[in-house]
Amino acid sequence: MKTVEPENLHLTLLFIGEKREDDLKTIEEIMNSLKGQNSFSASARGVGFFPNLDRPRVIWIGIEDHGNLSEIRKQLVNSFKERKITFDDRNEFSPHLTLGRIRSPRGIENIKRIWEERKHEDFGNFKVDKVMLFKSILTPRGPIYEELHSVGLKETSLS
C-alpha cells in the first residue's frame, strides 16, 4: 500500500481537472460566494474501502458533518453548472480522507483485519473553516499540492 503523506491529507469536494486561466478566475469568484457560510465541526470516524472490501483499492476514513459538506458541494456544483465550468461528477459524494492506495492483493488479509478492528473507530473532531482550490502536480514520488485560492468560512461560536 502507498500511504498518503500527512501533509497531503485533504477532503475533495469537487475534482475539476485542468482549467484555463479565465476558468480559474470564474472558479475563484464562485468560491468567494462561500464567504457567508458558517464554519462547522466534523468528525473523522470509521475506516472503509473503495470500491469495496472484496476488491479494496483505496483505504479511507469517513467524515461525518451533518450534511454541511454536501450543502457546500451542492452550492458549488450548481454555480459551476450555471457558469459552464466542467468538473468530474461520476461518483456520488462521500466525504472521506484517503489514507492510502492498495497496489497489490498481497496482504489483503491484514487489511481486512485492520478494517474489522477500526471500522467504527472515532479518530476525533475538527473544525471546517476554509475551502481551498489546489493544483495537483503529479510526480514519480507522489503528488505535490499547490494552493491557488482559499476562502475562509464565517467564524461561529456554535459549530
Side-chain angles (χ1 to χ4, degrees):
M1 179 169 76
K2 167 77 171 108
T3 58
V4 174
E5 300 295 330
E7 65 272 14
N8 286 342
L9 283 174
H10 65 278
L11 190 149
T12 301
L13 288 171
L14 278 176
F15 180 80
I16 59 174
E18 290 189 40
K19 296 292 178 232
R20 297 184 326 258
E21 191 67 33
D22 56 330
D23 285 339
L24 291 177
K25 293 293 180 203
T26 302
I27 291 166
E28 289 177 10
E29 290 171 16
I30 290 169
M31 289 177 64
N32 288 339
S33 72
L34 298 174
K35 285 182 183 171
Q37 298 274 347
N38 289 333
S39 60
F40 55 92
S41 293
S43 302
R45 187 171 293 131
V47 174
F49 299 93
F50 291 135
N52 56 50
L53 187 57
D54 293 328
R55 291 187 353 244
R57 307 305 285 147
V58 172
I59 183 170
W60 50 262
I61 291 177
I63 303 298
E64 296 177 4
D65 72 327
H66 307 291
N68 292 304
L69 291 166
S70 293
E71 283 303 313
I72 289 174
R73 184 181 189 279
K74 184 164 49 168
Q75 184 177 336
L76 291 172
V77 164
N78 290 339
S79 295
F80 275 46
K81 286 179 179 177
E82 285 173 14
R83 305 285 294 271
K84 309 244 187 301
I85 302 290
T86 59
F87 57 94
D88 183 349
D89 200 22
R90 290 178 286 174
N91 299 317
E92 184 178 331
F93 181 59
S94 177
H96 68 279
L97 298 173
T98 297
L99 297 179
R101 301 190 185 284
I102 299 165
R103 294 185 164 171
S104 82
R106 272 190 354 220
I108 287 295
E109 292 313 311
N110 287 334
I111 289 170
K112 289 181 179 182
R113 180 183 49 74
I114 291 169
W115 174 78
E116 193 59 47
E117 293 170 358
R118 303 281 175 122
K119 64 184 173 185
H120 300 296
E121 184 151 338
D122 185 349
F123 294 98
N125 300 323
F126 58 95
K127 187 169 198 163
V128 178
D129 59 3
K130 189 184 297 186
V131 176
M132 303 169 81
L133 175 64
F134 283 102
K135 173 182 181 179
S136 58
I137 303 159
L138 303 180
T139 72
R141 294 184 162 212
I144 298 170
Y145 297 107
E146 177 185 328
E147 180 184 331
L148 299 178
H149 187 67
S150 69
V151 174
L153 302 179
K154 191 167 54 173
E155 196 60 38
T156 59
S157 57
L158 302 172
S159 46

